[in-house]
Amino acid sequence: MSSDRIMAEEPIEKKITRILIHRNMTVTAAESCTGGLVAGTLVNADGISEVFKESYVTYSNEAKHKLLGVKKETLEKYGAVSRQTAAEMAEGAVRAAGADASVVTTGVAGPGGGTEEKPVGLVYIGCCVKGRTIVKRCFYGGNRQGVRHSAVKEALEILYCQLLADKY
């Protein structure tokens, strides 16, 4: 088996860990709808303890504000499940942890809680790498666990891509 094929089959959390170690960078996670699954997946990788600072499960609006510094005005105007909240979560997680990068999730996993404007399956994934923040709006079908696991997979892909794109 070629080394390229081995690398392609390597779990994404190991790829992320290798990049972070190589670049002497640290990462943190802040999660709402995924409830710690992003952090739990990252810590599957050997060597992650060198680069993983801490994580936050900020399920309530109060926790988003208290732990990550999401503005009360943002939560009132746009809601917890919004592009604006995800961006503030990503930036706040970096500040709170003193990390170089963050990955965050906020959404409606279901089966209840959805609205016409914010249906079940809507998830915003935020990522901040060295001060550059992006947010992706995602929609997943399936049950609660399916939504959560799909969001984790996408969140790690986004973090990985942003780390690859980081030229600093």
Side-chain angles (χ1 to χ4, degrees):
M1 193 180 289
S2 75
S3 62
D4 288 342
R5 184 172 169 145
I6 291 169
M7 296 290 279
E9 293 174 4
E10 184 177 46
I12 192 158
E13 59 268 23
K14 183 63 180 172
K15 294 176 186 178
I16 289 167
T17 300
R18 192 176 53 256
I19 291 170
L20 291 167
I21 290 170
H22 177 74
R23 295 189 180 166
N24 196 29
M25 292 174 64
T26 56
V27 69
T28 187
E31 304 173 65
S32 187
C33 63
T34 51
L37 289 175
V38 172
T41 303
L42 281 170
V43 300
N44 286 334
D46 296 340
I48 193 71
S49 60
E50 293 181 45
V51 295
F52 189 71
K53 298 284 276 186
E54 55 198 52
S55 73
Y56 307 90
V57 176
T58 55
Y59 211 73
S60 69
N61 285 356
E62 294 80 14
K64 287 174 183 66
H65 173 69
K66 178 181 167 185
L67 298 174
L68 304 176
V70 176
K71 295 179 194 130
K72 288 182 180 180
E73 300 79 26
T74 300
L75 293 164
E76 289 168 7
K77 184 173 182 179
Y78 302 104
V81 180
S82 67
R83 178 176 304 281
Q84 295 83 353
T85 294
E88 288 187 27
M89 287 175 67
E91 293 160 4
V94 164
R95 276 193 309 274
D100 298 301
S102 69
V103 61
V104 306
T105 61
T106 186
V108 185
T115 65
E116 191 172 313
E117 184 180 294
K118 296 179 182 181
V120 170
L122 174 63
V123 178
Y124 287 92
I125 298 170
C127 183
C128 181
V129 175
K130 292 188 175 180
R132 181 173 174 259
T133 304
I134 66 154
V135 176
K136 183 174 181 184
R137 182 181 190 271
C138 304
F139 184 79
Y140 307 107
N143 63 20
R144 181 177 183 80
Q145 296 309 318
V147 168
R148 294 175 69 220
H149 286 285
S150 294
V152 169
K153 183 177 178 191
E154 185 109 20
L156 293 177
E157 288 287 339
I158 290 169
L159 174 60
Y160 178 66
C161 289
Q162 291 307 300
L163 288 170
L164 287 179
D166 177 48
K167 303 294 183 198
Y168 305 102

